[in-house]
């Protein structure tokens, strides 16, 4: 089941995220945030952007969220996306379905472009993004230092809809979350 995350999902999201922080460069976060910090992140994101989880038999196995790309108001229609899947749930198609639901929710908000930022080489993430229609948009060489080395970062982008001129305001996720439209969409995802 795909559903909107709740603050009560913080422990499960933290458990999924911990090994990624501690032993990989998938994220450039170098200090593991605690469960309370994860709870705050969930709460903070849900006002304006989606945070979705994949749940099976009461267990959260993956989560995906969008967030502000840059602080300036002109960037309101583009959002950066992230997804993390528990190691025991990988290679089952969960990432594609959950990410697809995230992108669909963003589209319903009126966000017209999604951006994935990938630590390179990141073959699995690159393949997933490109299979969903994302296209390479650039590389930041030696953008981050973690685990004793410098890492390049690639940017992939996907237009969710053609930008209108002028654009309508993006619907805050908190408002969309209460809508029948989103509930019906997630039920089909």
């Amino acid at each position: 089941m795909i559903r909107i995350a709740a603050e009560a999902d913080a422990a499960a999201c933290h458990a999924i995220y911990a090994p990624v922080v501690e032993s990989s460069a998938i994220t450039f976060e170098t200090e593991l945030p605690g469960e309370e910090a994860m709870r705050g992140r969930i709460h903070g994101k849900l006002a304006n952007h989606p945070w979705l989880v994949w749940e099976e038999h009461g267990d959260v196995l993956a989560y995906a969220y969008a967030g502000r790309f840059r602080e300036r108001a002109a960037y309101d229609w583009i959002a950066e996306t992230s997804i993390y899947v528990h190691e025991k749930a990988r290679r089952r198609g969960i990432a594609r379905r959950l990410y697809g639901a995230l992108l669909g929710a963003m589209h319903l908000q009126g966000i017209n472009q999604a951006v994935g930022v990938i630590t390179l080489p990141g073959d699995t993430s690159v393949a997933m993004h490109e299979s969903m229609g994302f296209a390479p948009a650039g590389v930041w060489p030696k953008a981050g230092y973690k685990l004793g080395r410098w890492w390049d970062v690639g940017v992939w982008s996907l237009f969710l809809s053609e930008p209108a001129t002028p654009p309508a305001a993006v619907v805050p996720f908190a408002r969309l979350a209460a809508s029948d439209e989103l509930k019906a969409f997630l039920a089909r995802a």
Side-chain angles (χ1 to χ4, degrees), residues 70-153:
R70 294 271 200 248
E71 289 304 313
R72 307 279 192 281
Y75 290 111
D76 284 353
W77 296 269
I78 183 173
E80 186 176 337
T81 56
S82 294
I83 185 165
Y84 298 96
V85 180
H86 194 286
E87 60 190 349
K88 71 181 180 186
R90 293 183 186 145
R91 303 273 186 228
R92 294 181 36 207
I94 291 172
R96 281 184 55 83
R97 287 197 47 210
L98 183 58
Y99 214 53
L102 178 74
L103 297 172
M106 292 165 58
H107 176 74
L108 291 174
Q109 286 184 265
I111 295 171
N112 60 39
Q113 188 174 172
V115 174
V117 178
I118 302 169
T119 305
L120 299 176
D123 297 337
T124 301
S125 188
V126 168
M128 185 196 76
H129 280 83
E130 290 183 354
S131 75
M132 298 189 77
F134 282 75
V139 174
W140 298 318
K142 296 182 175 131
Y145 185 83
K146 185 175 179 185
L147 301 175
R149 66 171 275 204
W150 286 100
W151 298 88
D152 293 347
V153 172

Side-chain angles (χ1 to χ4, degrees), residues 7-187:
E7 290 181 40
D9 296 317
C13 291
H14 183 269
I16 293 167
Y17 191 55
V20 178
V21 172
E22 293 171 334
S23 62
S24 83
I26 291 170
T27 177
F28 281 172
E29 192 153 18
T30 58
E31 297 293 324
L32 183 63
E35 287 180 30
E36 193 58 38
M38 188 65 74
R39 184 175 288 99
R41 291 176 185 189
I42 293 169
H43 176 79
K45 291 274 186 218
L46 287 174
N48 292 304
H49 293 92
W51 185 309
L52 305 177
V53 298
W54 178 284
E55 181 183 323
E56 287 181 5
H57 311 293
D59 293 329
V60 172
L61 298 180
Y63 67 94
Y65 62 86
R68 196 159 181 85
F69 177 69
R70 294 271 200 248
E71 289 304 313
R72 307 279 192 281
Y75 290 111
D76 284 353
W77 296 269
I78 183 173
E80 186 176 337
T81 56
S82 294
I83 185 165
Y84 298 96
V85 180
H86 194 286
E87 60 190 349
K88 71 181 180 186
R90 293 183 186 145
R91 303 273 186 228
R92 294 181 36 207
I94 291 172
R96 281 184 55 83
R97 287 197 47 210
L98 183 58
Y99 214 53
L102 178 74
L103 297 172
M106 292 165 58
H107 176 74
L108 291 174
Q109 286 184 265
I111 295 171
N112 60 39
Q113 188 174 172
V115 174
V117 178
I118 302 169
T119 305
L120 299 176
D123 297 337
T124 301
S125 188
V126 168
M128 185 196 76
H129 280 83
E130 290 183 354
S131 75
M132 298 189 77
F134 282 75
V139 174
W140 298 318
K142 296 182 175 131
Y145 185 83
K146 185 175 179 185
L147 301 175
R149 66 171 275 204
W150 286 100
W151 298 88
D152 293 347
V153 172
V155 179
W156 271 255
S157 67
L158 172 68
F159 277 96
L160 304 174
S161 63
E162 187 62 34
T165 305
V170 172
V171 176
F173 188 73
R175 186 170 357 137
L176 181 66
S179 74
D180 291 336
E181 181 180 25
L182 182 65
K183 290 174 187 159
F185 171 76
L186 290 178

